[in-house]
Amino acid sequence: MKPDHTIDPALLPALAAFACVARHASFRQAAIELGVSPSALSQTIRNLERRLGTRLLQRTTRRVGLTEPGQHLLQEMLPALQRIGGALQAMEESRDLPAGQLRITTPRFAAEHLLLPFLPAFHAHYPQVQVELSIQPAMIDVVAEAFDAGIRLGESLAAGMIAVPLGPPLRLAVVASPAYLQQHGVPLQPEDLTNHACIRHRSSDGRIMPWEFSRDGHDFTIEVGGALLLNDSHLALHAACAGMGLLQVFAHSARAHLDDGRLLHVLDAWQLPFAGFHLYYPSRDQLAPKLRVFIDFMRAANAAALK
């Protein structure tokens, strides 16, 4: 079995102090660089020597020199200290540079309508940022799952998250094909849905979702019935176009089908706008440049698209 060369983290400050004293050959000059008193620095070196069981420095009234074990230790540890210093310098130099992998969890609708249309321009502006979109309908703990941020409806955000609006308010729509409505009639109020075939949606947590409506400023839901149950909104739209029943969906998702007449609106008076999607992340402290520019760019792009 290979020997374990893992260093005790408590030794690192003392080893760095030892290297500083050796470089200056002076406790006083090293103490000035490290921002400590010479007596405190001397005590740190004495504790290190006691821990290692050997003297590292020869001290006289005129100078400080290395013992043979001290010289050997310094030669062995200097390359490692230089690599650490180089890594810290590189991190400092890149601190304000948007770069690296940016992981975003988002439902499909938000990815298609709020992100994908603007990603080519984002990559042109920030070529060093690699965006990974993970399409997940359920709410995700971005910290536990190692995501930089997530996108969800404002009403579903977890407490403690920083959230910024992304995109316009949303509106649900109940739609159906002309053939279905001609054969089964047009519902005039939400309660009429009990006499219709409805294409229902099963959410990622297993629930069959009720349909949501508003009346006189109050929101309410209705449990609908139907022979078809899906967990994919794209398939549900195809089923509605095929005349298999009524469907409640984001109005924006059905826009193309409504514009070309494959689907028709019903119950519009009971479908009011509500707060749309938000981009959320855990903290404002030391926000990574890659996430900061992504938030600013996507908010500006979505706002411009509304004008």
Side-chain angles (χ1 to χ4, degrees):
M1 190 172 81
K2 292 183 178 180
D4 184 5
H5 295 299
T6 303
I7 189 171
D8 181 352
L11 287 176
L12 289 175
L15 290 171
F18 161 69
C20 187
V21 173
R23 186 172 71 255
H24 287 286
S26 165
F27 274 91
R28 186 175 64 84
Q29 292 298 322
I32 292 173
E33 179 179 324
L34 296 173
V36 297
S37 68
S39 60
L41 180 56
S42 179
Q43 184 62 47
T44 296
I45 299 302
R46 281 197 296 270
N47 290 339
L48 176 62
E49 290 173 328
R50 189 178 302 113
R51 176 74 178 272
L52 299 178
T54 187
R55 182 176 289 276
L56 302 174
L57 297 170
Q58 296 285 10
R59 305 162 177 84
T60 70
T61 56
R62 300 181 60 182
R63 67 183 304 274
V64 176
L66 291 167
T67 64
E68 184 178 353
Q71 182 68 40
H72 179 72
L73 176 61
L74 185 65
Q75 289 175 347
E76 292 294 323
M77 61 183 273
L78 270 181
L81 289 176
Q82 289 168 351
R83 286 196 298 271
I84 293 173
L88 292 174
Q89 182 178 355
M91 179 176 291
E92 185 173 351
E93 291 173 351
S94 64
R95 182 175 54 203
D96 298 324
L97 176 66
Q101 186 180 43
L102 184 68
R103 301 188 70 227
I104 307 291
T105 169
T106 175
R108 183 181 301 276
F109 179 91
E112 288 182 345
H113 298 285
L114 303 180
L115 301 181
L116 289 178
F118 312 115
L119 276 180
F122 176 80
H123 284 307
H125 279 80
Y126 303 104
Q128 300 303 314
V129 180
Q130 298 89 46
V131 178
E132 176 188 345
L133 300 181
S134 180
I135 307 302
Q136 298 165 310
M139 189 71 183
I140 296 296
D141 184 334
V142 292
V143 175
E145 301 294 331
F147 285 97
D148 294 284
I151 298 175
R152 292 295 183 274
L153 290 174
E155 62 190 27
S156 62
L157 296 179
M161 289 289 112
I162 308 301
V164 294
L166 186 67
L170 296 175
R171 185 175 182 178
L172 292 171
V174 177
V175 298
S177 69
Y180 176 88
L181 295 175
Q182 184 176 7
Q183 180 177 355
H184 299 281
V186 176
L188 300 179
Q189 57 184 359
E191 288 76 10
D192 294 342
L193 294 173
T194 56
N195 300 317
H196 283 270
C198 297
I199 301 169
R200 297 176 295 163
H201 176 79
R202 187 184 294 278
S203 68
S204 58
D205 62 7
R207 292 186 302 144
I208 299 176
M209 301 303 293
W211 287 17
E212 301 178 17
F213 299 95
S214 295
R215 176 188 287 132
D216 300 326
H218 298 286
D219 298 332
F220 64 98
T221 61
I222 288 184
E223 300 288 343
V224 297
L228 183 59
L229 179 62
L230 296 167
N231 68 348
D232 185 276
S233 60
H234 286 263
L235 288 177
L237 279 169
H238 286 299
C241 290
M244 297 189 67
L246 295 155
L247 172 67
Q248 187 175 63
V249 68
F250 286 130
H252 197 88
S253 295
R255 179 178 296 170
H257 304 78
L258 292 165
D259 289 345
D260 64 18
R262 284 178 290 170
L263 294 175
L264 299 175
H265 277 291
V266 298
L267 302 176
D268 277 0
W270 284 268
Q271 305 277 241
L272 300 180
F274 58 92
F277 286 98
H278 287 63
L279 189 148
Y280 67 97
Y281 55 96
S283 175
R284 283 195 179 95
D285 295 336
Q286 297 179 334
L287 190 63
K290 60 184 179 180
L291 179 56
R292 184 181 66 250
V293 298
F294 184 82
I295 293 172
D296 293 343
F297 189 94
M298 290 302 169
R299 292 192 72 190
N302 277 278
L306 295 176
K307 295 179 179 179

